[in-house]
Amino acid sequence: MAKHKTPLLDQLESGPWPSFVSDIKQEADARAKNEKGLDYQIPVDCPEDLLGVLEMSYTDGETHWKHGGIVGVFGYGGGVIGRYCDQPQMFPGVAHFHTVRVAQPNGKWYNTELLRNLVKIWELRGSGLTNMHGATGDIVFLGTTTPQLEEIFWELTHDLEIDLGGSGSNLRTPATCLGMSRCEYACYDTQELCYNLTQEYQDELHRPAFPYKFKFKFDGCPNGCVAAIARSDLSFIGTWKDEIKIDQEAVAAYVGGEIAPNAGAHAGRDWGAFDIQKEVVDLCPSQCISYDGKLTIDNKECVRCMHCINTMPRALKVGDERGCSILCGAKAPILDGPQMGSLLVPFMEVNKEDDYQSIKDLIENIWDWWMEEGKNRERIGETMKRLGMSALIDAAGVPVDARQVQEPRHNPYIFWKAEDVEGGWDRDINDFRKRHQR
Ligand code: SF4
């Protein structure tokens, strides 16, 4: 097996961080020696040729991957991303180098047996190189050949009971935080909702029929461990309607230095005495906390940023009336710049089967509108921007609400219609004129 010279890639191993180049070299060496005695199902020099083609791309300043046609598994329209090398004679080990997207377990809960079994399939039938995890959350298997795809699909779905993830213009693999399985802040059961919607929308996940990709993500609280607000077309973010619960004795214990702030996350460094004014009161973005020996929160001004709760978790707890906010339209900067989600539904309860139905009704209204109005390769956030938030609100079938803004206290970009206002526009404009004597 020819070893490629890789002077440019070698430089990437010299920094202080772990290097993907070292990882590929490790796999190339292991295959060359075949220490495990495997009967590799794809060319044994695949990782070595990957290094070669990468080096050539760096030298030429252009990619040597090309689109070469659609590949996939029987019955699915997504889950495999076809990739071919444009120099197959020089690098036969990566002539085909398809990526397989594998749905991650809910909340990324693995046991070691599952991890071993995943790797076993991939060492035999793929390059042995993985990406744990891709941006959408999938387990990403990097590099295999067309004849191996059905074999991999069969073993994943039948032996491990794991499905392929989404790719192309379809619903992408939904992603959720750990939720109630570990976290006391979870305001709804993120894993249950994620599982339920994943099962419900199997067709949308595997058979691309949308204008472009569509992502759901589920955060149990505004700390946003899966960053739903920035990374999903429809974000479900846990929140509460009532008041933050305060334990004044525990507040006094933080102030007195008996309990370490930030759940002791700063242990090992001397941050000095805890200063509640500096570290909590002054940092509240709404300036709605005060402390004069007793902590008070003006809850109607609170924007649920979580800062005070994260700093004093034993003194402050999220409220009891819990549910989620639903935001629409976040995306990465593919065409029109990055965009955060805009608030569509300020609060919805999600702890009953009935509530799941209202979520599904909302999703399907939005999809119907987007599939009708969206241009090819237009994310829903772009359709929303092009046609206006009010068009999305109409299509979603949710009531107009002054909180449907892009960010708190800014951009109330709703155009109110006469029929939305009690008494109609005429009454309002007449009142306005009378008040201003016009
Ligand atoms: Fe202020 Fe944020 Fe605490 Fe609300 S959650 S009271 S906005 S610091």
Side-chain angles (χ1 to χ4, degrees), residues 318-331:
V318 300
D320 289 325
E321 283 181 66
R322 300 175 187 181
C324 78
S325 297
I326 303 176
L327 293 88
C328 188
K331 65 179 196 71

Side-chain angles (χ1 to χ4, degrees), residues 59-267:
T59 310
D60 296 352
E62 63 178 28
T63 181
H64 285 286
W65 300 120
K66 60 170 187 149
H67 285 288
I70 304 230
V71 282
V73 296
F74 189 67
Y76 279 22
V80 181
I81 297 121
R83 184 178 287 172
Y84 298 87
C85 177
D86 68 3
Q87 304 294 326
Q89 291 83 3
M90 216 181 297
F91 306 108
V94 289
H96 301 191
F97 196 74
H98 310 317
T99 294
V100 182
R101 290 206 178 138
V102 182
Q104 78 276 19
N106 229 348
K108 301 200 177 76
W109 276 112
Y110 294 100
N111 57 24
T112 48
E113 188 190 356
L114 177 61
L115 285 169
R116 278 181 222 286
N117 285 333
L118 284 167
V119 170
K120 216 157 134 190
I121 295 175
W122 195 238
E123 284 201 318
L124 194 68
R125 304 195 178 279
S127 68
L129 303 167
T130 63
N131 174 1
M132 305 287 271
H133 294 247
T136 302
D138 295 304
I139 302 157
V140 182
F141 281 177
L142 292 161
T144 192
T145 58
T146 308
Q148 290 305 311
L149 293 174
E150 288 295 344
E151 315 286 333
I152 293 165
F153 181 49
W154 176 274
E155 287 175 9
L156 283 171
T157 50
H158 290 74
D159 299 346
L160 304 189
E161 296 188 343
I162 286 200
D163 204 354
L164 293 190
S167 70
S169 293
N170 63 10
L171 176 64
R172 299 299 180 81
T173 318
T176 168
C177 67
L178 290 161
M180 288 180 171
S181 65
R182 284 205 70 172
C183 179
E184 64 187 279
Y185 298 154
C187 294
Y188 68 98
D189 192 339
T190 52
Q191 297 194 13
E192 180 59 39
L193 181 60
C194 181
Y195 179 74
N196 189 298
L197 295 185
T198 305
Q199 294 297 337
E200 179 81 17
Y201 296 122
Q202 282 290 298
D203 204 26
E204 287 75 4
L205 235 165
H206 298 307
R207 289 160 201 105
F210 290 154
Y212 201 16
K213 62 178 108 166
F214 195 95
K215 300 179 182 181
F216 294 143
K217 292 197 196 297
F218 307 89
D219 277 320
C221 81
N223 275 330
C225 291
V226 290
I229 194 171
R231 300 170 60 227
S232 54
D233 300 87
L234 208 58
S235 333
F236 300 82
I237 305 176
T239 189
W240 62 96
K241 267 207 297 197
D242 54 342
E243 307 197 331
I244 293 175
K245 292 184 283 185
I246 308 176
D247 175 344
Q248 296 290 356
E249 274 180 30
V251 173
Y254 278 104
V255 173
E258 292 150 44
I259 308 178
N262 295 300
H266 294 153

Side-chain angles (χ1 to χ4, degrees), residues 240 244 280-281 283-289 297-299 301-309 316:
W240 62 96
I244 293 175
V280 177
V281 177
L283 294 181
C284 170
S286 317
Q287 296 292 291
C288 66
I289 306 184
I297 299 178
D298 182 0
N299 279 275
E301 295 296 329
C302 167
V303 293
R304 277 62 173 163
C305 81
M306 297 294 287
H307 174 72
C308 59
I309 299 175
L316 303 176

